[in-house]
Amino acid sequence: MSTDLDRSTVETAYARWALIYDAVCGPVMVKGRRAAAAAACAIGGKILEVGVGTGLSFDDYDAGTEITGIDMSAPMLAKARAKMASGRYPHVRDVLQMDAHRMSFADATFDCVVAQFVITLVANPEQVLSECHRVVKPGGRIILVNHLYSEVGVAAAVERWAAKRTRALGLRPEFPFARLAAWAQSNAEAALIERRKVAPFYTLVCFERTSPMAA
């Protein structure tokens, strides 16, 4: 049986999270969120944020970026649109309700794709990665930040214990880096550029879409 989360579980969980997400998750995720946004800002241009949620990351981008966000949670997007309506975020072009497994964007649309705390939660992580790869330009980056499975030791045991108990909350603490690496190895036009720890317990992973000639 797959240990991936199904769509209905995630949608139900994040409809509940919408009201308290900024207050509860904002402080916990701030370092990982800012690390991912900083890596994207270094590239600049047109940036897609997958799983934009309530727009918690809007403050982390600058005028050198043009942000499009997608999410499948309507209640979360309502919060993001309220932030946009304040006029504080002219660099945010649009937020759309969309399934990251089947994006409606044309190939090679974005300079960078960012997915913060998302890839471990989707029903099919490899399919979402392939969609991110499809919509980013050759030479562009896919930037992920997540808690990834510790794999060994006490931390790994705790994550395995917590896995079943946190599924209803839309969480998955036992997702391994090996799945990300295996996806990249199976894709001739994807290269792992960076993997580094971000305090307190996150990992930033960056892939580049290489050109066919470079592969």
Side-chain angles (χ1 to χ4, degrees), residues 40-166:
C41 286
I43 298 167
K46 297 177 66 174
I47 296 173
L48 173 65
E49 184 164 316
V50 175
V52 70
T54 64
L56 194 57
S57 65
F58 288 170
D59 281 313
D60 302 321
Y61 294 103
D62 58 32
T65 60
E66 179 187 291
I67 308 301
T68 299
I70 66 168
D71 205 288
M72 65 182 183
S73 172
M76 299 283 271
L77 286 173
K79 297 284 186 179
R81 291 185 179 121
K83 289 184 174 76
M84 291 173 65
S86 72
R88 293 175 54 203
Y89 306 106
H91 54 285
V92 180
R93 179 182 180 183
D94 203 0
V95 293
L96 305 165
Q97 188 170 16
M98 190 182 298
D99 186 349
H101 296 82
R102 291 174 293 278
M103 297 187 208
S104 60
F105 304 114
D107 295 358
T109 296
F110 299 97
D111 298 291
C112 181
V113 177
V114 178
Q116 303 177 17
F117 315 108
V118 169
I119 202 65
T120 64
L121 306 180
V122 295
N124 187 326
E126 290 80 7
Q127 184 177 338
V128 170
L129 283 168
S130 293
E131 275 292 276
C132 292
H133 184 270
R134 180 183 67 78
V135 302
V136 78
K137 298 174 183 177
R141 300 288 176 89
I142 301 169
I143 299 168
L144 314 176
V145 67
N146 268 101
H147 169 76
L148 297 177
Y149 181 42
S150 300
E151 300 187 21
V152 296
V154 174
V158 171
E159 289 159 3
R160 289 194 299 271
W161 176 86
K164 291 183 180 179
R165 294 160 179 82
T166 58

